[in-house]
Amino acid sequence: MTKRLFKAVLTSAVVATSAGGVFTATSAHAAECIAPANPGGGWDFTCRQIGKIMYDIGLVDAPVQITNMAGGGGGLAYGTVANERTDDANLIVAASQATATRLAQNAYGGATPDQVRFLGAIGADPGVIVVSADSPFQNLGDLVAAMKADPGSVAFAGGSAAGGFDHLKVLQVAQAGGVADVTKIRYIGVDGGADAITQTVGGFTQGMTGDMSEIVGFLGTGEVRALAVLSNERVPGFDDIPTAVEQGFDVVAVNWRGLYVPKDISDERFNDWVAKLQAVGESDEWQAAMKANGLAPFTVIGGDFESFIAQNMADVTKLSKEIGIIQ
């Protein structure tokens, strides 16, 4: 593939807000953020951190209500917003690259991206490729060389199902490294990043694919080594981990953290939410939250983000067809 999936310049892209400034939700109409999963994890983090900062810096005058709505890998929340709450102007929903991937693979029962409006992303959890501390692979080139020699000899564990975002990260790296048949690379989907690391540390797989936030604790204990981070630049606070790009593999795969809103809200209200999200992204509080959780800068807002999602999903669809995940 000449254009690598999910590759984006990690710089700010902001649209202008409408005249009249930013609305403030009142106590009678308090803002609500749906996290499409149980407490804990990325979507819950997105809602709680963004909601808290919105209140702390005065963008809303009442605490943002957090609603956990697990089911269908985000599909239950998506369907609820698309079909039942299409004009709720006080509703925001946590989203990530997993949301776009599942939509592109038609994993939400026929749902389409135009059933909501994608608001923006203000941070990204960079993808990582990890091996156990005693692995013979010292860098990403060693690992890719083994896959080129015998794709079936290297197995990976990841926290998404086969064909999901974690699986696609490995396939992108393999494609960039010239592996002839990426479908022969073995992948084991388990229940989250911690379980994936356990598989790798235990010797059941040769590598783990996941997100930076999932490996921070394990890096601290010395159980694993990160061969590469899949961002454009090294992540602040983890400067010893080289990017795949600087090792010669043109792959950027970041699990952006952002929001979508119901499709039938007004353009004025959409732009109000754009301004709020931008203000959160520029706040000292959000910068501290990103640093503590290993997130990389990634700000794409409003219309630019809607364009990003469209291209992103087209890339996901293309790769998913190439490897036989969808027809």
Side-chain angles (χ1 to χ4, degrees):
M1 296 172 67
T2 57
K3 184 171 184 180
R4 293 294 161 200
L5 182 61
F6 310 139
K7 188 172 183 182
V9 177
L10 303 186
T11 54
S12 178
V14 185
V15 298
T17 59
S18 60
V22 178
F23 84 97
T24 300
T26 65
S27 298
H29 301 284
E32 176 187 359
C33 186
I34 293 178
N38 291 321
W43 284 330
D44 189 64
F45 165 85
T46 299
C47 270
R48 293 184 189 279
Q49 286 293 326
I50 291 177
K52 180 179 185 301
I53 293 171
M54 281 186 180
Y55 181 62
D56 288 347
I57 65 177
L59 297 175
V60 293
D61 65 3
V64 175
Q65 175 186 332
I66 309 300
T67 301
N68 290 96
M69 188 179 294
L76 177 59
Y78 196 90
T80 298
V81 175
N83 297 312
E84 300 175 21
R85 302 183 65 177
T86 63
D87 60 354
D88 190 336
N90 289 310
L91 177 64
I92 53 179
V93 187
S96 67
Q97 181 58 52
T99 311
T101 297
R102 292 184 69 81
L103 280 169
Q105 295 175 343
N106 195 28
Y108 286 167
T112 56
D114 58 358
Q115 290 180 285
V116 302
R117 295 190 71 177
F118 283 89
L119 191 68
I122 57 171
D125 208 347
V128 290
I129 303 295
V130 173
V131 296
S132 63
D134 60 357
S135 170
F137 303 121
Q138 297 301 310
N139 53 56
L140 192 58
D142 291 345
L143 184 62
V144 173
M147 287 191 283
K148 286 184 72 174
D150 182 3
S153 69
V154 182
F156 292 87
S160 70
F165 187 44
D166 286 338
H167 190 186
L168 292 182
K169 294 170 192 170
V170 171
L171 300 183
Q172 290 176 78
V173 171
Q175 284 189 327
V179 176
D181 186 356
V182 299
T183 64
K184 292 183 178 179
I185 297 169
R186 292 183 292 146
Y187 174 83
I188 300 172
V190 294
D191 189 17
D195 287 351
I197 288 178
T198 299
Q199 291 285 318
T200 302
V201 172
F204 298 103
T205 62
Q206 286 67 54
M208 176 267 184
T209 167
D211 296 325
M212 177 64 78
S213 64
E214 296 174 322
I215 70 168
V216 170
F218 295 94
L219 288 174
T221 63
E223 295 175 83
V224 298
R225 287 185 288 110
L227 298 186
V229 59
L230 306 181
S231 53
N232 272 335
E233 300 177 358
R234 296 194 183 196
V235 178
F238 301 89
D239 303 276
D240 58 331
I241 304 175
T243 67
V245 173
E246 69 185 78
Q247 296 180 74
F249 302 93
D250 189 16
V251 177
V252 173
V254 295
N255 194 12
W256 51 262
R257 300 293 180 191
L259 301 169
Y260 64 81
V261 294
K263 66 175 181 179
D264 291 332
I265 66 173
S266 68
D267 288 341
E268 181 180 5
R269 187 53 57 93
F270 177 81
N271 287 329
D272 285 335
W273 278 121
V274 166
K276 287 181 184 295
L277 187 59
Q278 180 66 24
V280 170
E282 293 175 348
S283 69
D284 291 340
E285 290 85 348
W286 179 250
Q287 302 307 310
M290 286 202 300
K291 184 175 181 180
N293 291 277
L295 299 186
F298 184 80
T299 302
V300 188
I301 302 286
D304 288 328
F305 190 59
E306 292 179 301
S307 297
F308 167 81
I309 289 293
Q311 183 61 57
N312 180 280
M313 288 184 58
D315 291 341
V316 173
T317 299
K318 182 179 179 182
L319 180 58
S320 298
K321 287 181 177 179
E322 289 177 357
I323 62 177
I325 294 171
I326 59 177
Q327 300 301 313

